[in-house]
Amino acid sequence: MRKVKVAATQMSCSSNIEENISRAESLVRKAAAEGAQIILLQELFETPYFCQKEKADYYVYATELEHNKAVNHFKQIARELEVVLPISFYEKKNYARYNSLAVIDANGEVLGQYRKSHIPDGPGYEEKFYFNPGDTGFKVWKTRYAKIGIGVCWDQWYPEAARCMALMGAELLFYPTAIGSEPQDGSIDSKDHWQMCMLGHAASNLMPVIASNRIGPEDDGDSTINFYGSSFIAGPQGNKLAEAGRTEEAVLTAEFDLDQLEIQRIEWGIFRDRRPDLYKIITSYDGERMI
């Protein structure tokens, strides 16, 4: 048996970067004390979710990977606690800007980075103003405890992303996110839809999914998003094993036997019976012309 314990966390964020990092550290330490070996923090937790409005002033939040405060801080925490930490951050690379994630292994080493592939653009979620489309492609990381695939927020709505990471050998899928109310229409509540998409990734790939969201209201001028938390851990049949509430800070944990999960995936034949020769249309935008 090759068992691993994972954790999902959620918290509110202020405009104080040091305070946010400190709060995130406390959640990581709590999860590690509960035995978690891979611990997920939410998307862009260093700062408020600054993408509500298009403001050039927020470009200053971007840093190079090697100079990012959260990444450097959690390298030490990962080494001390011997945990794996995917860390979301706003990356600057020359004149490009990315919504990126650094994967820190249990020895404190940064294994590399992933740049968010799917960039949303809508009221309250104006990410195309701040981020270039990610150019890394999907990635799977061989950490001390498991092979993990990681998508960032809007990536989680795409079954293609989850399947690609599964085909690359992922054993667990992680999704740090920032999602809540729609500033232009307070009657919209996407929480169930948001969860259902990722539960589908778990079920269709027979693979656990771990999702971390932020909580609380965040205001920017006349725009407000109330982030609805509801972070969760799903089992390989798309069943929710643990779920946080909408408003409280939380740490969720679950344990998986990776060897048993691999046997399950083989027995079900989901990957054996694939027909990639019939899937070429997926590379088109309009259902006809293939890239």
Side-chain angles (χ1 to χ4, degrees):
M1 293 187 296
R2 191 161 53 95
K3 290 188 175 181
V4 62
K5 196 167 191 178
V6 301
T9 67
Q10 64 180 36
M11 68 182 202
S12 61
C13 295
S14 72
S15 58
N16 186 315
I17 291 176
E18 286 73 21
E19 181 180 283
N20 294 331
I21 291 175
S22 177
R23 185 177 293 131
E25 179 186 336
S26 71
L27 293 178
V28 168
R29 289 188 179 278
K30 182 178 179 182
E34 295 179 20
Q37 298 159 294
I38 307 175
I39 303 167
L40 184 64
L41 294 162
Q42 63 216 35
E43 181 186 23
L44 298 173
F45 65 87
E46 283 184 283
T47 65
Y49 181 73
F50 52 84
C51 307
Q52 283 196 57
K53 291 291 191 77
E54 296 185 356
K55 293 184 176 180
D57 290 349
Y58 294 147
Y59 288 141
V60 299
Y61 283 142
T63 63
E64 294 90 351
L65 170 61
E66 58 270 23
H67 297 139
N68 180 261
K69 289 183 180 179
V71 172
N72 285 324
H73 182 85
F74 282 103
K75 283 164 61 176
Q76 300 173 48
I77 302 301
R79 186 183 307 115
E80 175 194 342
L81 301 177
E82 297 189 66
V83 294
V84 174
L85 297 172
I87 300 296
S88 171
F89 71 105
Y90 187 12
E91 182 190 4
K92 175 172 72 173
K93 180 67 175 180
N94 297 324
Y95 295 114
R97 301 290 184 274
Y98 299 99
N99 188 335
S100 294
L101 184 140
V103 178
I104 305 175
D105 207 355
N107 62 357
E109 176 190 357
V110 175
L111 298 180
Q113 73 214 76
Y114 166 71
R115 292 169 172 164
K116 184 174 178 178
S117 300
H118 303 93
I119 309 297
D121 184 33
Y125 301 90
E126 307 280 357
E127 294 198 13
K128 281 187 166 66
F129 183 79
Y130 295 98
F131 309 124
N132 294 82
D135 58 359
T136 60
F138 305 116
K139 289 196 166 189
V140 167
W141 312 95
K142 187 176 181 181
T143 72
R144 179 182 296 184
Y145 304 114
K147 293 179 182 177
I148 63 175
I150 307 169
V152 177
C153 201
W154 196 226
D155 290 333
Q156 70 208 353
W157 296 83
Y158 293 85
E160 299 92 339
R163 177 51 58 89
C164 284
M165 290 186 283
L167 289 172
M168 294 167 70
E171 298 172 304
L172 303 162
L173 296 176
F174 291 82
Y175 292 99
T177 192
I179 189 170
S181 61
E182 303 293 328
Q184 82 284 5
D185 187 347
S187 69
I188 297 174
D189 184 352
S190 60
K191 178 258 186 182
D192 289 344
H193 186 192
W194 168 71
Q195 288 189 341
M196 193 64 69
C197 282
M198 285 178 283
L199 296 177
H201 302 334
S204 60
N205 291 291
L206 285 169
M207 189 169 295
V209 166
I210 301 92
S212 289
N213 191 20
R214 63 174 65 202
I215 56 172
E218 295 187 17
D219 302 317
D220 193 339
D222 60 356
S223 179
T224 298
I225 297 178
N226 189 20
F227 293 95
Y228 51 58
S230 304
S231 304
F232 68 93
I233 300 174
Q237 284 79 41
N239 49 321
K240 278 189 280 187
L241 301 176
E243 180 180 5
R246 286 176 173 258
T247 59
E248 72 272 14
E249 198 170 89
V251 171
L252 309 172
T253 62
E255 187 173 64
F256 298 103
D257 183 336
L258 299 179
D259 289 336
Q260 184 58 41
L261 289 176
E262 182 174 0
I263 291 169
Q264 266 188 2
R265 282 191 290 273
I266 295 169
E267 285 181 337
W268 271 87
I270 285 175
F271 295 95
R272 179 198 64 203
D273 297 340
R274 291 180 65 254
R275 290 291 308 278
D277 56 309
L278 302 180
Y279 304 155
K280 293 183 177 62
I281 202 68
I282 204 74
T283 65
S284 73
Y285 280 107
D286 62 6
E288 291 184 5
R289 286 178 291 275
M290 291 177 280
I291 297 171

